[in-house]
Amino acid sequence: MKPLSVVVHVNAPAAAVWEVLTDLEGTAQVLGGVRGVERLSGDTGYQVGTRWRESRVMFGQEATEDMTVTAVEPGRRTELRAESHGMRYRTEFELRPVTGGADASPRTQLVMRFQGEHAHGGRARKLLGALTAPLGVAVSRTAMGQDLADIAAAAERRARARTA
């Protein structure tokens, strides 16, 4: 699958967006498609090596993936990896503070990049992947857009609560 990229503009500072992204225990309350999150690693924070099991609805079915944080630049960028059903997935979130504008309130551009690739080769698997790729891209792009909208809404609520 070619890398997918979706961008959303958030009316909140990058710090509020980062808090939402890294709050594993709050994920199921923020992301509408997520049914539950179970922390697998012994840590309590969010750093390289943090692992969790995430259950979400995909294609009308509940799917569970084990996620691992593989890169962190606090407040700026994080990368996650997962492997499931013969596929490897990589997800990256990048936060870009937006300056300027008429009202001077802090805003953030949130970029989500996603890529899946076959973990194990084989001609038949590659052919099947090529045939189903357009559906996978469409479903993934829709899910990414919804996740980003949910993250943006939660970050904006947090930012408003701080200024109230």
mmCIF file of all heavy atoms in Angstrom, residues 46 71 78 82 113-114 155:
data_model
loop_
_atom_site.group_PDB
_atom_site.id
_atom_site.type_symbol
_atom_site.label_atom_id
_atom_site.label_comp_id
_atom_site.label_asym_id
_atom_site.label_seq_id
_atom_site.Cartn_x
_atom_site.Cartn_y
_atom_site.Cartn_z
ATOM 1 N N TYR A 46 4.355 7.744 28.059
ATOM 2 C CA TYR A 46 4.340 7.550 26.617
ATOM 3 C C TYR A 46 5.751 7.789 26.121
ATOM 4 O O TYR A 46 6.239 8.920 26.143
ATOM 5 C CB TYR A 46 3.364 8.536 25.957
ATOM 6 C CG TYR A 46 3.212 8.324 24.475
ATOM 7 C CD1 TYR A 46 2.202 7.511 23.980
ATOM 8 C CD2 TYR A 46 4.070 8.940 23.569
ATOM 9 C CE1 TYR A 46 2.054 7.308 22.622
ATOM 10 C CE2 TYR A 46 3.929 8.739 22.210
ATOM 11 C CZ TYR A 46 2.924 7.929 21.743
ATOM 12 O OH TYR A 46 2.786 7.736 20.395
ATOM 13 N N ALA A 71 9.005 5.848 17.886
ATOM 14 C CA ALA A 71 9.712 7.134 17.844
ATOM 15 C C ALA A 71 8.875 8.179 18.558
ATOM 16 O O ALA A 71 7.644 8.167 18.462
ATOM 17 C CB ALA A 71 9.973 7.574 16.406
ATOM 18 N N THR A 78 5.357 11.529 16.619
ATOM 19 C CA THR A 78 5.437 10.186 17.169
ATOM 20 C C THR A 78 5.170 9.183 16.054
ATOM 21 O O THR A 78 4.492 9.503 15.076
ATOM 22 C CB THR A 78 4.467 9.966 18.347
ATOM 23 O OG1 THR A 78 4.732 8.686 18.935
ATOM 24 C CG2 THR A 78 3.019 10.048 17.928
ATOM 25 N N ALA A 82 2.692 -1.688 14.124
ATOM 26 C CA ALA A 82 1.860 -2.845 14.472
ATOM 27 C C ALA A 82 2.072 -3.899 13.404
ATOM 28 O O ALA A 82 2.417 -3.581 12.264
ATOM 29 C CB ALA A 82 0.388 -2.448 14.536
ATOM 30 N N ARG A 113 0.238 10.068 8.861
ATOM 31 C CA ARG A 113 0.708 9.259 7.738
ATOM 32 C C ARG A 113 0.562 7.788 8.118
ATOM 33 O O ARG A 113 0.851 7.414 9.253
ATOM 34 C CB ARG A 113 2.167 9.566 7.428
ATOM 35 C CG ARG A 113 2.379 10.985 6.954
ATOM 36 C CD ARG A 113 3.863 11.256 6.651
ATOM 37 N NE ARG A 113 4.075 12.658 6.415
ATOM 38 C CZ ARG A 113 4.423 13.549 7.351
ATOM 39 N NH1 ARG A 113 4.616 13.147 8.597
ATOM 40 N NH2 ARG A 113 4.578 14.817 7.051
ATOM 41 N N PHE A 114 0.135 6.987 7.159
ATOM 42 C CA PHE A 114 -0.109 5.575 7.421
ATOM 43 C C PHE A 114 0.374 4.757 6.234
ATOM 44 O O PHE A 114 0.170 5.152 5.084
ATOM 45 C CB PHE A 114 -1.605 5.330 7.632
ATOM 46 C CG PHE A 114 -1.974 3.887 7.797
ATOM 47 C CD1 PHE A 114 -1.814 3.247 9.014
ATOM 48 C CD2 PHE A 114 -2.491 3.158 6.732
ATOM 49 C CE1 PHE A 114 -2.150 1.911 9.166
ATOM 50 C CE2 PHE A 114 -2.832 1.827 6.875
ATOM 51 C CZ PHE A 114 -2.659 1.207 8.098
ATOM 52 N N ALA A 155 -8.842 18.017 21.516
ATOM 53 C CA ALA A 155 -7.805 19.023 21.813
ATOM 54 C C ALA A 155 -8.430 20.410 21.925
ATOM 55 O O ALA A 155 -8.045 21.199 22.806
ATOM 56 C CB ALA A 155 -6.731 18.997 20.725
#
